[in-house]
Amino acid sequence: MSDSTPYTPPKVWTWDAESGGEWAKINRPIAGPTHEATLPRGKHPLQLYSMGTPNGQKVTILLEELLAAGERGAEYDAHLIRISQGDQFSTGFVAVNPNSKIPALLDTTTGSRVFESGAILLYLAEKFGRFLPTDPARRTETLNWLFWLQGSAPYLGGGFGHFYAYAPEKFEYPINRFTMEAKRQMDVLDRELAEHRYLGGDEYTIADIATWPWYGKLVLGQAYGAAEFLDAERYTHLCRWAREIAQRPAVKRGCMVNRTWGEPAEQLHERHDASDFELKTQDKVEADGAG
């Protein structure tokens, strides 16, 4: 059924700040800061400013994987950026990422700022020589899938996820349009994973780390409440891959960092030391506060 009052675009669009549903306040038609604020700094070489969304989890998963692989230089401080409160529009954050999107990384050993989640994954993989093949052909195939994800995920999140789960009203046309694209993307992944254990081959890489928080969680029923709607179980190879990666200890830890929703035991609002996973999850913070 189509909307009985179709929208007619005006000659000149104007910004209605009150429209757009649950996440409307994170979007503006202009760039730049809205307020003065200095970003915090921790003691480690890598300073991450993020939130536990799929894009944020890409980076925290990779950092935890690097630490698990013995890369002590990958120690990091993960500072929480509450995007619903506009932290990403502070002068400090805009200086690190002029696009005002999480995640953003500051490498204090080089002074480099790195923004865009795919760029951060590539930067860290190259810095530490991990999770990115050195063989030119395999490296190229890994990057094929990394950039596939960067181009495809906005259709899943800003397209399907927004209209199916977050928009203030549900309309058949956009839901059908983006459901079709989401399922096409799932089929692309399923066909690839029918041939290979991981994306692009038999080696776990940043292509898998980038893709799993979006499509892995989707088919595992952890995104948008849409697994049944999308008939996710029919994508058997994608589900196999999603379940396998979900069991990795570093993935489990990475999914906790900068997370502010769900079970308190699975939330680590900020991460400054490996011991924080044992001592500073939100259930323990709340229990200490109650005491």
Side-chain angles (χ1 to χ4, degrees), residues 81-120:
I81 300 296
R82 295 182 182 271
I83 59 176
S84 63
Q85 297 179 19
D87 292 352
Q88 69 275 31
F89 299 122
S90 74
T91 51
F93 191 88
V94 171
V96 180
N97 184 358
N99 196 39
S100 291
K101 301 289 184 182
I102 60 95
L105 180 74
L106 181 64
D107 186 342
T108 61
T109 61
T110 64
S112 297
R113 70 176 188 182
V114 196
F115 58 90
E116 292 297 324
S117 57
I120 297 173

Short mmCIF file of all heavy atoms in Angstrom, two decimals, residues 81-120:
data_model
loop_
_atom_site.label_atom_id
_atom_site.label_comp_id
_atom_site.label_asym_id
_atom_site.label_seq_id
_atom_site.Cartn_x
_atom_site.Cartn_y
_atom_site.Cartn_z
N ILE A 81 32.29 8.44 22.77
CA ILE A 81 31.69 9.60 22.11
C ILE A 81 30.19 9.32 22.01
O ILE A 81 29.76 8.44 21.25
CB ILE A 81 32.29 9.83 20.71
CG1 ILE A 81 33.80 10.08 20.79
CG2 ILE A 81 31.58 10.98 19.99
CD1 ILE A 81 34.17 11.35 21.55
N ARG A 82 29.42 10.02 22.80
CA ARG A 82 27.96 9.79 22.81
C ARG A 82 27.34 10.58 21.66
O ARG A 82 27.06 11.77 21.80
CB ARG A 82 27.38 10.20 24.16
CG ARG A 82 27.87 9.33 25.32
CD ARG A 82 27.25 9.73 26.63
NE ARG A 82 27.75 8.96 27.75
CZ ARG A 82 27.24 7.80 28.18
NH1 ARG A 82 26.18 7.28 27.56
NH2 ARG A 82 27.77 7.17 29.20
N ILE A 83 27.12 9.88 20.55
CA ILE A 83 26.67 10.58 19.35
C ILE A 83 25.26 11.12 19.49
O ILE A 83 24.92 12.13 18.87
CB ILE A 83 26.80 9.68 18.10
CG1 ILE A 83 25.99 8.40 18.24
CG2 ILE A 83 28.26 9.35 17.83
CD1 ILE A 83 26.01 7.51 17.00
N SER A 84 24.44 10.50 20.33
CA SER A 84 23.08 11.02 20.52
C SER A 84 23.09 12.34 21.29
O SER A 84 22.13 13.10 21.24
CB SER A 84 22.21 10.00 21.26
OG SER A 84 22.72 9.76 22.56
N GLN A 85 24.20 12.64 21.98
CA GLN A 85 24.34 13.88 22.72
C GLN A 85 25.18 14.91 21.97
O GLN A 85 25.44 16.01 22.50
CB GLN A 85 24.94 13.60 24.10
CG GLN A 85 24.06 12.71 24.96
CD GLN A 85 24.67 12.42 26.32
OE1 GLN A 85 25.58 13.11 26.78
NE2 GLN A 85 24.17 11.38 26.98
N GLY A 86 25.63 14.56 20.77
CA GLY A 86 26.36 15.52 19.95
C GLY A 86 27.83 15.67 20.27
O GLY A 86 28.46 16.66 19.85
N ASP A 87 28.44 14.69 20.97
CA ASP A 87 29.86 14.79 21.29
C ASP A 87 30.72 14.89 20.03
O ASP A 87 31.81 15.48 20.07
CB ASP A 87 30.31 13.56 22.08
CG ASP A 87 29.73 13.49 23.48
OD1 ASP A 87 29.09 14.48 23.90
OD2 ASP A 87 29.91 12.46 24.14
N GLN A 88 30.24 14.33 18.93
CA GLN A 88 31.01 14.32 17.68
C GLN A 88 31.09 15.69 17.01
O GLN A 88 31.82 15.87 16.04
CB GLN A 88 30.42 13.30 16.69
CG GLN A 88 29.07 13.66 16.11
CD GLN A 88 27.90 13.25 16.99
OE1 GLN A 88 28.01 13.22 18.21
NE2 GLN A 88 26.78 12.92 16.37
N PHE A 89 30.35 16.66 17.56
CA PHE A 89 30.37 18.01 17.00
C PHE A 89 31.21 18.98 17.84
O PHE A 89 31.15 20.18 17.65
CB PHE A 89 28.94 18.55 16.87
CG PHE A 89 28.07 17.72 15.96
CD1 PHE A 89 26.89 17.16 16.42
CD2 PHE A 89 28.44 17.49 14.65
CE1 PHE A 89 26.09 16.39 15.60
CE2 PHE A 89 27.64 16.72 13.81
CZ PHE A 89 26.47 16.16 14.28
N SER A 90 32.00 18.44 18.77
CA SER A 90 32.87 19.30 19.56
C SER A 90 34.07 19.75 18.73
O SER A 90 34.43 19.10 17.73
CB SER A 90 33.37 18.57 20.81
OG SER A 90 34.34 17.59 20.45
N THR A 91 34.71 20.83 19.14
CA THR A 91 35.90 21.30 18.43
C THR A 91 37.00 20.25 18.46
O THR A 91 37.72 20.06 17.47
CB THR A 91 36.42 22.60 19.06
OG1 THR A 91 36.55 22.42 20.48
CG2 THR A 91 35.48 23.77 18.77
N GLY A 92 37.14 19.56 19.59
CA GLY A 92 38.18 18.54 19.69
C GLY A 92 37.96 17.39 18.74
O GLY A 92 38.89 16.93 18.07
N PHE A 93 36.70 16.91 18.66
CA PHE A 93 36.43 15.79 17.77
C PHE A 93 36.55 16.20 16.31
O PHE A 93 37.11 15.46 15.49
CB PHE A 93 35.05 15.18 18.04
CG PHE A 93 34.85 13.88 17.33
CD1 PHE A 93 35.24 12.69 17.91
CD2 PHE A 93 34.30 13.83 16.05
CE1 PHE A 93 35.09 11.47 17.25
CE2 PHE A 93 34.14 12.63 15.38
CZ PHE A 93 34.53 11.44 15.98
N VAL A 94 36.03 17.36 15.96
CA VAL A 94 36.10 17.81 14.57
C VAL A 94 37.55 17.96 14.12
O VAL A 94 37.87 17.75 12.95
CB VAL A 94 35.31 19.13 14.39
CG1 VAL A 94 35.55 19.73 13.01
CG2 VAL A 94 33.82 18.88 14.61
N ALA A 95 38.45 18.30 15.06
CA ALA A 95 39.86 18.40 14.71
C ALA A 95 40.44 17.04 14.32
O ALA A 95 41.37 16.97 13.50
CB ALA A 95 40.66 18.99 15.87
N VAL A 96 39.91 15.97 14.89
CA VAL A 96 40.37 14.62 14.55
C VAL A 96 39.62 14.07 13.35
O VAL A 96 40.19 13.37 12.51
CB VAL A 96 40.23 13.68 15.77
CG1 VAL A 96 40.71 12.27 15.43
CG2 VAL A 96 41.01 14.22 16.95
N ASN A 97 38.33 14.39 13.26
CA ASN A 97 37.54 13.96 12.11
C ASN A 97 36.61 15.09 11.68
O ASN A 97 35.56 15.30 12.30
CB ASN A 97 36.71 12.72 12.44
CG ASN A 97 35.94 12.21 11.21
OD1 ASN A 97 36.00 12.82 10.14
ND2 ASN A 97 35.22 11.12 11.36
N PRO A 98 36.96 15.81 10.63
CA PRO A 98 36.12 16.92 10.17
C PRO A 98 34.76 16.48 9.67
O PRO A 98 33.87 17.31 9.50
CB PRO A 98 36.95 17.54 9.03
CG PRO A 98 37.87 16.46 8.60
CD PRO A 98 38.18 15.66 9.82
N ASN A 99 34.58 15.16 9.48
CA ASN A 99 33.28 14.64 9.05
C ASN A 99 32.35 14.35 10.22
O ASN A 99 31.20 13.97 10.01
CB ASN A 99 33.49 13.36 8.22
CG ASN A 99 32.28 12.97 7.41
OD1 ASN A 99 31.58 13.81 6.85
ND2 ASN A 99 32.00 11.68 7.35
N SER A 100 32.82 14.50 11.45
CA SER A 100 31.99 14.33 12.66
C SER A 100 31.28 12.98 12.72
O SER A 100 30.11 12.90 13.09
CB SER A 100 30.96 15.47 12.77
OG SER A 100 31.61 16.70 13.05
N LYS A 101 31.99 11.94 12.36
CA LYS A 101 31.45 10.58 12.48
C LYS A 101 32.44 9.73 13.27
O LYS A 101 33.65 9.87 13.14
CB LYS A 101 31.24 9.94 11.10
CG LYS A 101 30.30 10.70 10.18
CD LYS A 101 28.85 10.62 10.64
CE LYS A 101 27.91 11.29 9.64
NZ LYS A 101 26.49 11.25 10.11
N ILE A 102 31.89 8.83 14.08
CA ILE A 102 32.77 7.87 14.76
C ILE A 102 32.99 6.69 13.82
O ILE A 102 32.18 6.43 12.94
CB ILE A 102 32.17 7.41 16.11
CG1 ILE A 102 30.81 6.72 15.94
CG2 ILE A 102 32.05 8.57 17.06
CD1 ILE A 102 30.93 5.22 15.85
N PRO A 103 34.14 6.00 14.01
CA PRO A 103 35.21 6.21 14.95
C PRO A 103 36.27 7.16 14.39
O PRO A 103 36.33 7.39 13.18
CB PRO A 103 35.79 4.81 15.12
CG PRO A 103 35.60 4.19 13.76
CD PRO A 103 34.29 4.73 13.24
N ALA A 104 37.11 7.67 15.29
CA ALA A 104 38.27 8.45 14.89
C ALA A 104 39.43 8.02 15.76
O ALA A 104 39.26 7.71 16.94
CB ALA A 104 38.00 9.94 15.05
N LEU A 105 40.63 7.98 15.17
CA LEU A 105 41.81 7.48 15.86
C LEU A 105 42.92 8.52 15.81
O LEU A 105 43.13 9.16 14.77
CB LEU A 105 42.29 6.19 15.18
CG LEU A 105 43.53 5.52 15.76
CD1 LEU A 105 43.19 4.83 17.08
CD2 LEU A 105 44.11 4.52 14.77
N LEU A 106 43.62 8.66 16.92
CA LEU A 106 44.82 9.49 16.97
C LEU A 106 45.99 8.60 17.36
O LEU A 106 45.97 7.95 18.41
CB LEU A 106 44.66 10.63 17.98
CG LEU A 106 45.84 11.59 18.10
CD1 LEU A 106 46.07 12.34 16.79
CD2 LEU A 106 45.61 12.57 19.25
N ASP A 107 46.99 8.53 16.50
CA ASP A 107 48.20 7.77 16.78
C ASP A 107 49.22 8.74 17.35
O ASP A 107 49.80 9.56 16.62
CB ASP A 107 48.72 7.12 15.49
CG ASP A 107 49.92 6.19 15.75
OD1 ASP A 107 50.54 6.30 16.82
OD2 ASP A 107 50.21 5.36 14.86
N THR A 108 49.44 8.69 18.64
CA THR A 108 50.32 9.66 19.28
C THR A 108 51.79 9.42 18.95
O THR A 108 52.62 10.31 19.17
CB THR A 108 50.12 9.64 20.81
OG1 THR A 108 50.46 8.34 21.32
CG2 THR A 108 48.69 9.97 21.18
N THR A 109 52.13 8.24 18.44
CA THR A 109 53.52 7.99 18.08
C THR A 109 53.90 8.68 16.78
O THR A 109 55.08 8.95 16.54
CB THR A 109 53.80 6.47 17.93
OG1 THR A 109 52.97 5.93 16.89
CG2 THR A 109 53.49 5.76 19.24
N THR A 110 52.93 8.97 15.94
CA THR A 110 53.21 9.62 14.65
C THR A 110 52.52 10.97 14.53
O THR A 110 52.84 11.75 13.63
CB THR A 110 52.74 8.73 13.49
OG1 THR A 110 51.31 8.57 13.57
CG2 THR A 110 53.41 7.37 13.54
N GLY A 111 51.54 11.22 15.39
CA GLY A 111 50.74 12.44 15.28
C GLY A 111 49.67 12.35 14.22
O GLY A 111 49.00 13.35 13.92
N SER A 112 49.47 11.16 13.65
CA SER A 112 48.50 11.00 12.58
C SER A 112 47.09 10.90 13.12
O SER A 112 46.83 10.19 14.09
CB SER A 112 48.80 9.73 11.77
OG SER A 112 50.05 9.82 11.14
N ARG A 113 46.16 11.63 12.50
CA ARG A 113 44.74 11.40 12.74
C ARG A 113 44.25 10.48 11.63
O ARG A 113 44.67 10.59 10.47
CB ARG A 113 43.96 12.71 12.75
CG ARG A 113 43.85 13.36 11.37
CD ARG A 113 42.98 14.61 11.40
NE ARG A 113 42.74 15.12 10.05
CZ ARG A 113 42.06 16.22 9.77
NH1 ARG A 113 41.54 16.92 10.76
NH2 ARG A 113 41.87 16.61 8.52
N VAL A 114 43.37 9.56 11.99
CA VAL A 114 42.83 8.62 11.01
C VAL A 114 41.33 8.58 11.21
O VAL A 114 40.86 8.28 12.32
CB VAL A 114 43.42 7.20 11.16
CG1 VAL A 114 43.14 6.38 9.90
CG2 VAL A 114 44.92 7.24 11.45
N PHE A 115 40.58 8.89 10.17
CA PHE A 115 39.13 8.79 10.27
C PHE A 115 38.59 8.01 9.09
O PHE A 115 39.30 7.80 8.11
CB PHE A 115 38.47 10.17 10.39
CG PHE A 115 38.75 11.13 9.26
CD1 PHE A 115 37.92 11.17 8.15
CD2 PHE A 115 39.82 12.01 9.33
CE1 PHE A 115 38.16 12.07 7.12
CE2 PHE A 115 40.07 12.92 8.31
CZ PHE A 115 39.23 12.95 7.19
N GLU A 116 37.35 7.58 9.21
CA GLU A 116 36.67 6.59 8.38
C GLU A 116 37.14 5.20 8.82
O GLU A 116 38.33 4.88 8.83
CB GLU A 116 36.89 6.78 6.89
CG GLU A 116 36.23 8.02 6.33
CD GLU A 116 34.71 7.99 6.46
OE1 GLU A 116 34.09 6.90 6.31
OE2 GLU A 116 34.12 9.04 6.75
N SER A 117 36.19 4.36 9.20
CA SER A 117 36.50 3.07 9.80
C SER A 117 37.36 2.20 8.90
O SER A 117 38.28 1.52 9.37
CB SER A 117 35.21 2.33 10.18
OG SER A 117 34.37 2.18 9.05
N GLY A 118 37.09 2.19 7.60
CA GLY A 118 37.90 1.39 6.68
C GLY A 118 39.33 1.87 6.63
O GLY A 118 40.28 1.07 6.58
N ALA A 119 39.52 3.19 6.66
CA ALA A 119 40.87 3.75 6.66
C ALA A 119 41.61 3.38 7.94
O ALA A 119 42.82 3.10 7.92
CB ALA A 119 40.81 5.27 6.50
N ILE A 120 40.90 3.36 9.06
CA ILE A 120 41.53 2.99 10.33
C ILE A 120 41.98 1.53 10.30
O ILE A 120 43.09 1.19 10.73
CB ILE A 120 40.59 3.26 11.51
CG1 ILE A 120 40.26 4.76 11.62
CG2 ILE A 120 41.20 2.76 12.82
CD1 ILE A 120 39.21 5.09 12.66
#
